[in-house]
Amino acid sequence: WDDAAGILICQEAGADYAALAADPVYPLSPASPALAGQSLFSISGAPELVDLCRRDFVKG
């Protein structure tokens, strides 16, 4: 739920949010690490910076 609140705050402030894991945060899949109480790897901030970080993360 912490991620859900954080996403809403980011969106309302004009920031972007991205889950950097294989599965998106919403909708949660039955195999989502969030449902197992595991941490999600995500990033938030200015949309252009989130896009840049996401591209760098995918490149590995």
Side-chain angles (χ1 to χ4, degrees), residues 26-55:
Y26 297 107
L28 286 175
S29 70
S32 173
L35 293 177
Q38 298 173 358
S39 296
L40 299 174
F41 190 44
S42 60
I43 188 169
S44 63
E48 57 277 359
L49 294 177
V50 170
D51 286 339
L52 179 65
C53 291
R54 188 179 342 185
R55 279 185 265 136

Side-chain angles (χ1 to χ4, degrees), residues 7-33:
I7 292 167
L8 179 61
I9 292 167
C10 288
Q11 290 174 341
E12 292 298 316
D16 200 1
Y17 173 91
L20 298 177
D23 292 333
V25 175
Y26 297 107
L28 286 175
S29 70
S32 173

